[in-house]
Amino acid sequence: MKPSDESVNAACKKLWDALQDLTVQDVLDQKNHVFRPLVTAQDTMTVENFLKMLGKESILACPVVNADNSIIGMVSVYDVLDKAILPNVFDPKLFSVNVLDIVKHTPQSFLQQPVSEFVYVTKESAYPYIFPSHQTLATVVKALAIHGYHRCLIVDSASVLDAIQSGTLPADAHVTVLTQTDIVRFLFESLESKTPVPSEIVEPLFRSKLEVLESKPVVAIGPGYSALNGFRIMHFHNVTAVPVVEDGTVCGMLCGADLCHVNADNWQMLQEPVRLFLEHQEVGTVNASNTIADGVKKMLDKHLHHLWVTKGDIVERAVTFTDLLELVVQAN
C-alpha cells in the first residue's frame, strides 16, 4: 500500500531518486561505519557450534562454505528454529501433548547435525542475493524490501560474482555481508551530513511520524510462557520476535538471537519461563507520535531489529527496518 500522505509520498520519491545515483560501495566507504570481515561456517560445523559462533559474533546469519571454500548458501538462527526445534512441536498430532514432555524427549542429537542440513530451509538461505559493490543502492533496497530478505552478500567485482555463481570462490575475493541495518544506518547518518546523501533528501522522511509505516499487528506472550512456547508462537505467526508483556507493559522480548545460548548442556532451559530464559534483554518501545528518526535512533543505539509502538501502556504494533524500506520502495 502506498503512503496516503502526499508529503511522505514525495519524500520517498525524492529519496528513491538519490538511491539510484548511489552504489553499495558508497555504503562500504562510509566513514564511521564498521564492516567486519566476512564470517563463514564450514558445512561440517555442528549446529551447536554454529549457534555458539553466531552468539560470539553478535550476528544472526552467515554464509556456509564447503571444503573448496565455495559458498553453498546462507543459514540463520531462524532456519535452525524452523527445522530443528519446531516441527516436533507443530505436528498437529502433538498439539494436545504437554510441551514439557516434548522437550524432555526431543533428541539432543539435532545439535550435532552439520549446518549444511539447514541451508535450504528458507528461500533466503537457499538463494541468497549476491551483488557486486558497484550495484545501485536502489536495486539492493528493492530486492531486500520486496522479498523480505534481511541481508545479502556483496562482492568486489563482477568477475567474482560470476565465479561464485558458477560454484567457486576465488581466494583473493573480497566478500562481505550487507544488511538492512547497514543501509538504514547509512541513511540515518545522512541527517548529520556524514554520507554522500544530502540531509535535505532524507530529512522529510525521517521527520515523518512512525504512524506512516505499514507495520504489523503485535503477537505478545506473558512472562510465564515457556521459552519453547514463545518460539512456537513466533513460528506459528511467522514473526521473528515477540514482546513479553506483563500487566500491559513490555518487560522483555524473545527473538531468534536468544537461541544462540542454547547448547547440549542447558537444553532444558527452553522449558523455563521466558522471564528466566531472557537474562539480559534490551527492549525498544516508542510512542506512535514519535518520528521515524526517533525510532531508528533507538533501534540503532540498542542494536535492535524490532521496535514496539505503544499508546499509553498498551503495545499496539511493531515496526522494523523492513517496514521503512518497504515504504520507500512502494511509493515508487
Side-chain angles (χ1 to χ4, degrees):
M1 182 183 297
K2 292 186 177 181
S4 57
D5 190 307
E6 287 303 317
S7 63
V8 175
N9 198 30
C12 289
K13 288 182 178 296
K14 198 172 183 180
L15 178 56
W16 180 257
D17 290 340
L19 293 178
Q20 295 189 79
D21 293 329
L22 294 166
T23 68
V24 172
Q25 192 61 50
D26 289 313
V27 181
L28 300 179
D29 290 342
Q30 172 60 29
K31 293 180 179 180
N32 304 321
H33 188 94
V34 179
F35 274 87
R36 68 186 71 199
L38 182 67
V39 176
T40 61
Q42 200 67 36
D43 57 358
T44 55
M45 177 181 284
T46 66
V47 172
E48 182 173 14
N49 287 333
F50 174 71
L51 293 175
K52 186 184 300 183
M53 181 189 72
L54 293 185
K56 179 181 178 181
E57 298 291 340
S58 298
I59 56 178
L60 297 179
C62 75
V64 177
V65 298
N66 59 21
D68 297 325
N69 202 37
S70 296
I71 297 175
I72 62 174
M74 185 95 71
V75 173
S76 74
V77 290
Y78 298 103
D79 296 311
V80 177
L81 274 174
D82 285 354
K83 183 173 180 179
I85 294 178
L86 297 170
N88 289 332
V89 180
F90 279 92
D91 185 335
K93 298 177 182 178
L94 297 178
F95 273 166
S96 61
V97 178
N98 189 304
V99 173
L100 301 188
D101 291 334
I102 296 174
V103 172
K104 292 173 184 176
H105 295 93
T106 297
Q108 295 186 14
S109 59
F110 91 90
L111 286 170
Q112 301 308 313
Q113 292 183 73
V115 72
S116 58
E117 294 294 323
F118 297 77
V119 170
Y120 298 99
V121 174
T122 63
K123 184 178 179 181
E124 185 171 7
S125 67
Y127 307 104
Y129 277 119
I130 307 175
F131 295 107
S133 57
H134 62 262
Q135 184 68 61
T136 64
L137 200 51
T139 298
V140 176
V141 168
K142 182 178 180 180
L144 295 180
I146 289 180
H147 298 287
Y149 278 28
H150 298 282
R151 58 193 64 81
C152 61
L153 294 174
I154 303 298
V155 298
D156 56 356
S157 68
S159 60
V160 174
L161 177 60
D162 292 338
I164 291 178
Q165 291 176 335
S166 64
T168 60
L169 180 62
D172 58 346
H174 175 70
V175 184
T176 191
V177 173
L178 185 73
T179 68
Q180 288 187 2
T181 302
D182 298 325
I183 295 172
V184 173
R185 181 186 289 109
F186 174 79
L187 297 176
F188 181 73
E189 290 179 347
S190 301
L191 290 173
E192 299 179 357
S193 301
K194 295 180 179 179
T195 78
V197 186
S199 59
E200 58 267 24
I201 296 292
V202 297
E203 188 165 357
L205 177 59
F206 277 90
R207 298 309 177 197
S208 301
K209 301 296 184 183
L210 277 167
E211 60 191 13
V212 305
L213 297 180
E214 190 174 330
S215 53
K216 302 172 180 63
V218 173
V219 179
I221 62 174
Y225 278 64
S226 70
L228 182 60
N229 244 336
F231 285 131
R232 172 187 183 183
I233 290 170
M234 282 171 49
H235 183 82
F236 184 77
H237 291 280
N238 193 31
V239 295
T240 54
V242 289
V244 181
V245 179
E246 186 171 17
D247 298 328
T249 302
V250 179
C251 59
M253 178 178 70
L254 181 71
C255 63
D258 296 307
L259 190 67
C260 291
H261 61 269
V262 174
N263 55 55
D265 295 327
N266 63 13
W267 170 248
Q268 294 298 315
M269 69 189 300
L270 282 169
Q271 64 185 300
E272 299 288 343
V274 71
R275 63 174 177 270
L276 301 177
F277 183 78
L278 304 177
E279 297 178 358
H280 305 286
Q281 183 61 258
E282 288 284 356
V283 181
T285 59
V286 68
N287 192 280
S289 63
N290 287 123
T291 64
I292 291 176
D294 294 331
V296 168
K297 184 178 187 305
K298 181 166 287 190
M299 283 194 278
L300 292 175
D301 288 346
K302 291 180 175 290
H303 305 287
L304 300 173
H305 296 89
H306 304 77
L307 199 63
W308 312 109
V309 181
T310 60
K311 186 175 183 179
D313 291 331
I314 305 301
V315 182
E316 287 194 326
R317 55 201 179 98
V319 294
T320 66
F321 290 142
T322 302
D323 299 320
L324 177 57
L325 298 183
E326 282 182 346
L327 180 71
V328 176
V329 171
Q330 289 174 357
N332 292 276

